[in-house]
Amino acid sequence: MNLLEIRELSVEFPAGEGSVKAVSRVSFDIREGETFGIIGESGSGKSVVGLALLRLLPANARVSGNICFAGKELFFLKPSELRKIRGKRISLMPQNPAGALNPALKNGLQIGEVFERRGIEKKEGMKKALGLMKKLFLQDPEKLCGLYPNQLSGGMRQRLIAAMSLSFEPELLIADEPTKGLDPEARAGAVELFTKIKNEYGKTMLLITHDLDLAHEVCDRIAVMYAGEIVELDEASKILHSPGHPYTKGLIRAHPRNGLVPLSGQSPSRIKLPEGCFFHERCRHAAVECSRRHPEIQNHKGGRIRCHLQFLQ
Amino acid sequence: MRYFLKRFGFMALTVFAVCALTFFLMNAIPGGTAELILKHTFVGLEESATEEQLNQISSRYNLDDPLYIQFFRWVKAAVTGEGIGTSYVFRKPVLYLLALRLPATIQLAGASMAIAVLAGVSLGIYSALRENRISDHILRVATLFGVSMPCFWVALLLILVFSLKLKLVPVAGYGSLENLFLPAAALSLHSMAAVMRVTRTSMLETLGQEYIRFAKAKGLPLRKIISRHALKNAMLPVVTVIGFQMGNLLGGTIVIEKIFAWPGIGSLLVDSISARDLPVVQGCVLAIVSMFLLVNFLVDMLYTHLDPRIRYG
Ligand SMILES: Nc1ncnc2c1ncn2[C@@H]1O[C@H](COP(=O)(O)OP(=O)(O)OP(=O)(O)O)[C@@H](O)[C@H]1O
Ligand code: SF4
Ligand SMILES: [Mg+2]
């Protein structure tokens, strides 16, 4: 059963004369209970996909496509219906925990407000939140509630946000770069945290990350994004151990454990995307065809891949 | 505690410096003080004051002493609580005159500030929420007029329209609410526009923050997001501007009180300057500066209250 179906999702931001093509015709499904990963280098459009799912993109974003969650078309929902889904059925753990907490409000208020107007008594909600915080390895939660966010460490803030996001045991949890900017110890903690969330709650998760180790640890399937497109989508183990797409191969090789061979070159301008394959300027296998015709994504050995090479051979 | 000591020390220093400046500047205006006092005392004596009479006056008020001694004597009397001099014109203690006039100024400045803050903040928020729509554009053009029109000009326009043409309120006078309407409106317009402008900018900036997006992701209704998450943070720069505007406004009372025959410190100051009634000028300046410093102190306290990251101690 698919919990979420994304079809031909495109997002553009107007920029001067033209527009930044942040996400181009992205389609994928997330099955119930699975952890789906999105990997790709910075700027590839991962966060924008995550935000689009909850309709949290800035007002100037031009969005097209369909997103179907549990049989509901998200883009057609009224604001009041949307609010019922946000935070309750779909939760988002944003990319930057430091920025996601309001510096002027105490932690207790910020976690407590999740329960507001949701048919839950304030006291009961607070109790639930405190229990959740304890479960997520936060010590002394009562004291934490009386503090302001800037009095917490990065790892603690992230757990606090995790606790907020899990308050209603959402059907879908979107976690954006949960290990970014954490020191090794906190990072190990975060990996532990997500393993725990996955095992204990058994919830469906969309994990957006740079961190191949984290992806390896918790993801069932992975989509690889490049310049706003999905270039490969497959079982996590296949993506990480025997990638098919030249970009994925490069990404894996750039990982410290595999010799830290960085991909040369830069990703293309998103205002004026190149003709042909978006990756052809950096691709070691690029053929003449690659700079002329844009490859479509196609089924290949049980996964999906966007490359001429696989089919030209 | 150390912060407060420093702060009060600084305030005392400011008051001292301003008083000294006023004192020496007033004495630098050509024309003997004794001569002026004489003219006020005996009407009709203008051109024929005798040497003897002048000497008599000079010694009564110690006007022959060097200026710094005169100033020192004044400071000493002020600090020991003896008073801050006696008016040459009214033959009354300056403190008595100030106490008589202070309520009117506080009433006018207070009403103007209240209008400026209430209207400025609410229009600023409204404008921010309707960013780039027609109503936002209209308001922004209006603020441009507001900040660029000097307050005496606004005052004259208001008198022309509301008193002379529409005959809704009296031209000038003091005592009833009707009388307060025009001077308060004229005085507040500039500050209102300034407050509105920063409120709009700051609100827009705050609404773009990540914690606002996260608050949306939590499923909070827009009204809650604005009142709880945006307002407090957006008010920080507004509070600073209100502090600045308070100085502006107190300066404005001088002209406005004169135009509307408002019996406050401002009109007293203007009258005593033209009468060369030095002790009263000195007293008025002292009162205005003290009010300004006091308000700024209160604004800073409010600031700390709003932003938990700032702690004076
Ligand atoms: N509000 C916006 N206005 C204009 N362009 C934007 C906006 N948000 C994102 N973009 C652009 O969209 C593209 C995708 O951004 P996105 O944040 O999704 O990248 P990402 O894959 O999450 O990268 P990172 O790993 O750095 O988080 C980038 O090129 C970015 O410049
Ligand atoms: S389509 Fe061509 S350029 Fe693009 S990834 Fe495949 S081989 Fe490389
Ligand atoms: Mg991102």
Side-chain angles (χ1 to χ4, degrees):
Chain A
M1 251 292 279
N2 290 333
L3 180 65
L4 187 78
E5 292 178 359
I6 299 183
R7 290 289 168 272
E8 301 278 311
L9 176 70
S10 296
V11 180
E12 292 183 21
F13 296 99
E17 301 280 278
S19 63
V20 177
K21 288 152 194 83
V23 170
S24 308
R25 298 175 56 212
V26 160
S27 302
F28 63 90
D29 300 326
I30 300 183
R31 300 174 191 145
E32 211 158 342
E34 86 172 328
T35 301
F36 190 92
I38 300 183
I39 61 174
E41 62 191 358
S42 194
S44 53
K46 308 182 295 293
S47 296
V48 171
V49 169
L51 291 172
L53 293 187
L54 274 176
R55 284 175 45 188
L56 288 170
L57 289 168
N60 68 345
R62 288 201 290 266
V63 187
S64 66
N66 294 309
I67 298 178
C68 192
F69 170 73
K72 275 203 186 88
E73 219 19 271
L74 283 184
F75 288 154
F76 296 155
L77 291 183
K78 283 186 289 187
S80 59
E81 293 174 313
L82 185 65
R83 262 211 326 275
K84 283 190 195 125
I85 289 190
R86 284 176 175 171
K88 200 168 177 182
R89 301 186 62 190
I90 304 180
S91 283
L92 173 75
M93 287 180 63
Q95 179 157 352
N96 165 16
L101 294 170
N102 189 331
L105 301 177
K106 286 193 176 146
N107 299 322
L109 176 68
Q110 299 194 53
I111 187 165
E113 71 182 358
V114 178
F115 297 97
E116 249 170 53
R117 296 169 185 232
R118 291 258 150 111
I120 292 185
E121 286 269 319
K122 205 170 177 182
K123 257 200 193 137
E124 200 187 324
M126 233 24 240
K127 223 167 88 190
K128 216 170 148 186
L130 290 174
L132 212 62
M133 284 160 82
K134 272 211 193 88
K135 235 183 181 161
L136 298 178
F137 322 101
L138 274 167
Q139 266 125 38
D140 213 352
E142 283 90 358
K143 201 182 128 210
L144 278 187
C145 285
L147 298 177
Y148 287 98
N150 67 316
Q151 292 166 302
L152 307 186
S153 72
M156 278 155 92
R157 279 184 215 150
Q158 189 180 52
R159 272 138 211 256
L160 196 69
I161 286 188
M164 292 176 193
S165 311
L166 292 171
S167 310
F168 285 98
E169 310 203 351
E171 288 147 74
L172 175 65
L173 175 67
I174 306 167
D176 196 349
E177 306 267 14
T179 51
K180 194 175 193 175
L182 294 182
D183 57 70
E185 197 184 328
R187 207 204 75 90
V191 174
E192 191 185 2
L193 177 71
F194 276 90
T195 319
K196 186 172 173 132
I197 292 173
K198 184 181 159 83
N199 295 338
E200 266 183 38
Y201 293 88
K203 290 297 162 195
T204 318
M205 241 197 296
L206 173 61
L207 187 69
I208 296 169
T209 188
H210 265 328
D211 187 335
L212 295 181
D213 290 330
L214 177 68
H216 185 67
E217 207 105 12
V218 293
C219 290
D220 300 315
R221 288 195 303 151
I222 291 178
V224 183
M225 283 187 75
Y226 183 76
E229 285 184 325
I230 292 186
V231 293
E232 189 169 7
L233 193 162
D234 212 332
E235 303 293 324
S237 56
K238 269 165 80 189
I239 292 275
L240 297 168
H241 295 126
S242 53
H245 194 279
Y247 172 66
T248 316
K249 283 181 183 155
L251 206 62
I252 306 291
R253 259 200 309 276
H255 189 267
R257 204 184 310 123
N258 303 325
L260 199 72
V261 189
L263 262 168
S264 60
Q266 283 184 334
S267 47
S269 152
R270 299 288 271 285
I271 297 178
K272 202 177 171 305
L273 282 162
E275 250 175 78
C277 174
F278 295 165
F279 188 57
H280 82 258
E281 283 156 357
R282 301 167 79 183
C283 183
R284 295 201 290 185
H285 307 283
V288 190
E289 177 77 355
C290 298
S291 57
R292 286 196 190 141
R293 199 163 55 85
H294 185 70
E296 286 303 315
I297 195 157
Q298 307 194 34
N299 292 329
H300 178 72
K301 290 190 195 160
R304 292 171 73 70
I305 198 160
R306 188 192 291 276
C307 176
H308 292 311
L309 185 70
Q310 306 296 328
F311 309 100
L312 290 172
Q313 278 175 348
Chain B
M1 204 50 222
R2 266 198 51 202
Y3 167 78
F4 288 105
L5 282 181
K6 247 195 201 156
R7 181 77 198 242
F8 285 122
F10 178 73
M11 277 158 76
L13 207 70
T14 313
V15 170
F16 177 81
V18 171
C19 288
L21 202 67
T22 322
F23 185 87
F24 293 111
L25 279 178
M26 279 304 287
N27 275 295
I29 301 173
T33 313
E35 202 174 337
L36 265 150
I37 296 172
L38 215 79
K39 283 180 192 167
H40 282 296
T41 324
F42 308 101
V43 185
L45 238 171
E46 272 76 20
E47 303 310 323
S48 53
T50 63
E51 195 74 9
E52 194 186 336
Q53 282 171 316
L54 282 178
N55 285 340
Q56 210 179 350
I57 295 280
S58 289
S59 60
R60 177 166 355 134
Y61 291 102
N62 294 318
L63 291 177
D64 292 330
D65 291 341
L67 280 183
Y68 69 90
I69 296 211
Q70 289 184 38
F71 182 63
F72 177 72
R73 201 178 291 125
W74 182 84
V75 171
K76 197 175 149 200
V79 171
T80 53
E82 235 173 81
I84 47 174
T86 306
S87 164
Y88 299 149
V89 178
F90 301 103
R91 311 283 186 103
K92 291 260 165 46
V94 174
L95 275 177
Y96 167 81
L97 291 172
L98 288 181
L100 213 61
R101 298 293 195 108
L102 197 60
T105 295
I106 290 180
Q107 192 185 4
L108 177 59
S112 305
M113 204 65 224
I115 295 174
V117 171
L118 289 178
V121 167
S122 29
L123 287 175
I125 293 172
Y126 177 79
S127 187
L129 292 179
R130 319 231 86 211
E131 191 195 4
N132 287 333
R133 310 230 195 126
I134 297 275
S135 45
D136 176 37
H137 288 307
I138 294 174
L139 279 171
R140 282 167 69 191
V141 172
T143 45
L144 209 64
F145 275 105
V147 292
S148 47
M149 281 198 293
C151 69
F152 67 86
W153 170 243
V154 175
L156 295 178
L157 276 182
L158 288 178
I159 290 177
L160 193 71
V161 174
F162 288 95
S163 305
L164 301 180
K165 283 262 170 338
L166 298 177
K167 302 206 188 307
L168 286 175
V169 282
V171 173
Y174 173 69
S176 71
L177 206 62
E178 273 189 340
N179 288 319
L180 183 61
F181 179 71
L182 286 191
L187 189 54
S188 63
L189 189 70
H190 185 274
S191 303
M192 184 169 96
V195 169
M196 186 185 136
R197 215 146 79 154
V198 300
T199 305
R200 180 183 180 276
T201 319
S202 155
M203 195 71 193
L204 280 178
E205 204 205 308
T206 310
L207 286 176
Q209 296 288 321
E210 258 182 84
Y211 54 77
I212 297 293
R213 184 145 74 192
F214 187 50
K216 281 186 195 158
K218 281 180 185 170
L220 294 182
L222 190 65
R223 238 203 274 134
K224 257 272 134 63
I225 293 175
I226 289 165
S227 65
R228 178 182 294 159
H229 284 271
L231 216 52
K232 206 170 165 193
N233 290 294
M235 277 309 113
L236 287 173
V238 178
V239 167
T240 314
V241 166
I242 290 174
F244 284 143
Q245 285 307 318
M246 203 61 212
N248 216 324
L249 224 141
L250 282 171
T253 54
I254 297 170
V255 182
I256 293 291
E257 286 184 4
K258 194 66 201 155
I259 293 177
F260 289 94
W262 192 261
I265 305 249
S267 53
L268 180 65
L269 178 64
V270 177
D271 292 342
S272 47
I273 288 175
S274 41
R276 294 286 303 276
D277 194 351
L278 184 63
V280 179
V281 172
Q282 190 83 324
C284 289
V285 169
L286 180 67
I288 291 173
V289 169
S290 308
M291 279 195 280
F292 176 70
L293 290 174
L294 187 71
V295 168
N296 267 291
F297 178 71
L298 293 178
V299 165
D300 281 358
M301 291 298 101
L302 184 63
Y303 204 91
T304 8
H305 179 76
L306 282 176
D307 190 346
R309 283 167 298 185
I310 304 173
R311 280 279 168 263
Y312 301 123

